[in-house]
Amino acid sequence: QDDSTNATYQYTFLVPHGGLKSSGRLWHEYEALQNGRTETKNVTVRNTIHETYPEHVDIEKAVYKLMRPSAPIRSVIRDTVKSSLPNDKNDPHLLALHPRVEPNMLVHRCAKLMEPHLSKIFDRIRNFTHLCSSDANLNLTTCNFDAVFVAIGAPQIEGAAALKSKGTKNELERIMIENSETLHEARAHGVFGSIPMFESGTDSARQVKLHVVSRVNGTSSVKVMPAEHTGVLELIASILNFFTAVEADTFIGVRGSSYSTDVISVRWYLKKGDNYIVGRTGIKQLYGPAPPHSCNR
């Protein structure tokens, strides 16, 4: 209700996953479904045997296939991706990366499954022959993608830069500072010094204009409302990040992150199969659905 204009706006109240009183029950039900997908089977691809996980239950499949943002959000995603890809390529390819190296994740129990150094994640991508090839003599890296979208909590990481002046010495703070510097370097000079990198987040979310129903003195009409006036700008930014990763040609996520798991799952059931997991020991290509979400595997 807007008392200044006597108008009432109706729009769906967006609640983040894990919110409100029933979050615990919802999460435990989700984990129970994941625990039913632990048995693996082997498939042979190009004369190589790969381990794959079972498909999701029918209700999960239906949700993953139906997940689609509203038209205004899709429009911003499309425009952001188009403006970030090079214009001189006939069929430019986008790689989306979810490194999950924010400070809060580095102290999470699932962090044991993840590579905490953003620089090492970039190095593993550079050295993964399915994606890139390097010429040491020319100091040149050539990859099968033309831009990199990074789904990352940049404000959290950049806040670590302030720790420099305090002379902090513990390992976690050193990693946070290093990740901030790596992110800044990639922004300024591109991934591997040449491939453009971009982020989305709240800046892109502010471009979203949602159509909501306005009722004034009993008369209804459709009103265009900027996303930042809805009170859920950060949630809309998260939706933008998620579906930019879904729409990318290639996705690299991490084990132990429900976000990465869900991106891979949506992509798999939308027939987007170029998915990878990066961790402490390297990169692994997936030839089936996402592994079940767990901090124990």
Side-chain angles (χ1 to χ4, degrees), residues 169-208:
K169 298 296 183 183
N170 74 59
E171 181 64 16
L172 174 61
E173 290 167 341
R174 282 198 295 268
I175 293 173
M176 289 162 60
I177 292 169
E178 178 194 311
N179 286 343
S180 176
E181 292 173 345
T182 301
L183 185 60
H184 177 77
E185 181 73 14
R187 280 181 185 150
H189 305 290
V191 177
F192 315 139
S194 61
I195 300 175
M197 186 204 86
F198 71 98
E199 303 149 81
S200 188
T202 53
D203 286 342
S204 295
R206 289 189 178 93
Q207 301 175 33
V208 175

Side-chain angles (χ1 to χ4, degrees), residues 86-227:
N87 296 321
D88 57 348
K89 295 275 182 102
N90 291 329
D91 186 24
H93 278 59
L94 175 65
L95 175 123
L97 171 66
H98 178 233
R100 200 59 174 104
V101 293
E102 294 82 2
N104 67 326
M105 193 67 236
L106 298 186
V107 296
H108 192 278
R109 67 189 184 93
C110 285
K112 63 188 178 184
L113 303 175
M114 304 175 189
E115 173 52 61
H117 298 269
L118 184 58
S119 60
K120 291 184 178 180
I121 291 175
F122 284 147
D123 285 342
R124 293 198 173 114
I125 296 172
R126 184 204 299 265
N127 296 324
F128 192 63
T129 55
H130 283 249
L131 298 173
C132 298
S133 60
S134 297
D135 188 323
N137 295 325
L138 298 176
N139 192 27
L140 179 67
T141 298
T142 303
C143 299
N144 60 11
F145 51 87
D146 305 290
V148 178
F149 165 69
V150 182
I152 196 167
Q156 299 177 44
I157 294 174
E158 291 171 331
L163 296 173
K164 281 185 173 182
S165 61
K166 299 179 181 180
T168 52
K169 298 296 183 183
N170 74 59
E171 181 64 16
L172 174 61
E173 290 167 341
R174 282 198 295 268
I175 293 173
M176 289 162 60
I177 292 169
E178 178 194 311
N179 286 343
S180 176
E181 292 173 345
T182 301
L183 185 60
H184 177 77
E185 181 73 14
R187 280 181 185 150
H189 305 290
V191 177
F192 315 139
S194 61
I195 300 175
M197 186 204 86
F198 71 98
E199 303 149 81
S200 188
T202 53
D203 286 342
S204 295
R206 289 189 178 93
Q207 301 175 33
V208 175
K209 302 293 188 293
L210 298 175
H211 293 82
V212 298
V213 177
S214 171
R215 185 175 292 112
V216 181
N217 297 326
T219 302
S220 297
S221 61
V222 177
K223 179 181 178 67
V224 177
M225 178 177 288

Side-chain angles (χ1 to χ4, degrees), residues 66-74 77 239 243:
L66 290 171
M67 285 182 72
R68 190 180 185 208
S70 64
I73 293 177
R74 293 200 307 272
I77 291 173
I239 294 171
F243 284 97

